């Protein structure tokens, strides 16, 4: 499936800005949305998801689900729960992901999958793909998310590309993310 042309490019200069990007993205999300996060270790995937959780008003601290594979954060604000998945340790594609029953959770939840590229796209034709990369020429340490639960202050600039796939994202307001 091709993109609908819904895309945003954002430069993020700190962990706080990455978290704020998550808070700004959250109002665009609704039950049934699938969000794939791609980026190297320490890119800021969990930090972005923490902001999504704040913006969605979910219960519990959003931390990396690396060792539990998936965490469900119920809404405290009457919105959709946040299902946060870390597919890093899952080698297989959708077959291995099926054990998590994401297809059951997806209709009423916002499902965010770190390391999901090439593994969960078949769950939904309509999805967001967030790619977090280092800014060109940045050879500094990767520490926006030095470990999953301990965010460090660094001047490590990230280029974030948010791409909407499918009709759901054609008019969802992604370009507005670039203006704040």
């Amino acid at each position: 499936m091709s993109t609908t042309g819904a895309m945003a490019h954002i430069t993020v200069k700190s962990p706080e800005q990455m978290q704020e990007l998550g808070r700004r993205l959250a109002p665009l999300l609704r039950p049934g949305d699938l969000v794939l996060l791609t980026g190297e270790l320490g890119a800021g995937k969990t930090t972005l998801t923490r902001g999504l959780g704040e913006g969605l008003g979910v219960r519990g601290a959003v931390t990396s689900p690396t060792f539990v594979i998936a965490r469900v954060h119920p809404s405290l604000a009457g919105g959709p729960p946040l299902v946060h998945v870390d597919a890093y340790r899952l080698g297989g594609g959708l077959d291995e992901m099926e054990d998590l029953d994401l297809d059951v959770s997806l209709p009423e939840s916002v499902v965010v999958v770190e390391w999901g590229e090439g593994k969960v796209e078949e769950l939904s034709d309509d999805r967001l793909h967030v790619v977090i990369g280092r800014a060109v020429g940045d050879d500094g340490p990767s520490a926006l998310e030095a470990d999953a639960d301990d965010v460090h202050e660094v001047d490590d600039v990230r280029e974030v590309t948010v791409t909407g796939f499918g009709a759901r994202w054609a008019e969802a307001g992604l370009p507005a993310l670039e203006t704040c």
Side-chain angles (χ1 to χ4, degrees):
M1 160 148 306
S2 63
T3 67
T4 62
M7 184 178 283
H9 299 282
I10 304 101
T11 300
V12 176
K13 298 179 181 177
S14 70
E16 293 79 18
Q17 286 185 359
M18 186 68 77
Q19 199 162 332
E20 177 60 24
L21 176 59
R23 283 190 293 269
R24 289 184 13 238
L25 181 58
L28 302 179
L29 299 174
R30 63 183 188 208
D33 283 342
L34 175 64
V35 181
L36 279 68
L37 302 180
T38 300
E40 64 190 40
L41 284 170
K45 297 178 297 293
T46 299
T47 302
L48 178 76
T49 306
R50 190 172 294 122
L52 288 172
E54 289 175 10
L56 291 170
V58 300
R59 184 179 73 207
V62 174
T63 59
S64 176
T66 299
F67 297 105
V68 295
I69 309 299
R71 283 198 172 95
V72 177
H73 298 274
S75 176
L76 295 173
L82 172 66
V83 178
H84 185 197
V85 180
D86 187 328
Y88 183 74
R89 297 185 189 286
L90 302 178
L94 196 57
D95 291 340
E96 196 169 349
M97 296 298 286
E98 282 180 356
D99 292 339
L100 298 175
D101 288 331
L102 293 181
D103 54 337
V104 173
S105 300
L106 188 57
E108 69 271 357
S109 304
V110 170
V111 177
V112 176
V113 183
E114 296 186 28
W115 303 100
E117 186 174 13
K119 298 177 182 175
V120 297
E121 287 91 340
E122 295 174 29
L123 286 173
S124 178
D125 289 336
D126 296 312
R127 63 188 178 277
L128 273 186
H129 191 174
V130 179
V131 178
I132 305 169
R134 281 196 184 146
V136 176
D138 181 5
D139 294 324
S142 176
L144 268 180
E145 188 180 322
D147 71 44
D149 299 324
D150 187 16
V151 179
H152 297 276
E153 298 282 337
V154 293
D155 293 324
D156 208 9
V157 177
R158 300 287 193 254
E159 294 297 333
V160 180
T161 302
V162 181
T163 306
F165 290 84
R168 152 80 175 99
W169 294 102
E171 301 294 328
L174 292 181
L177 294 172
E178 297 176 353
T179 61
C180 291

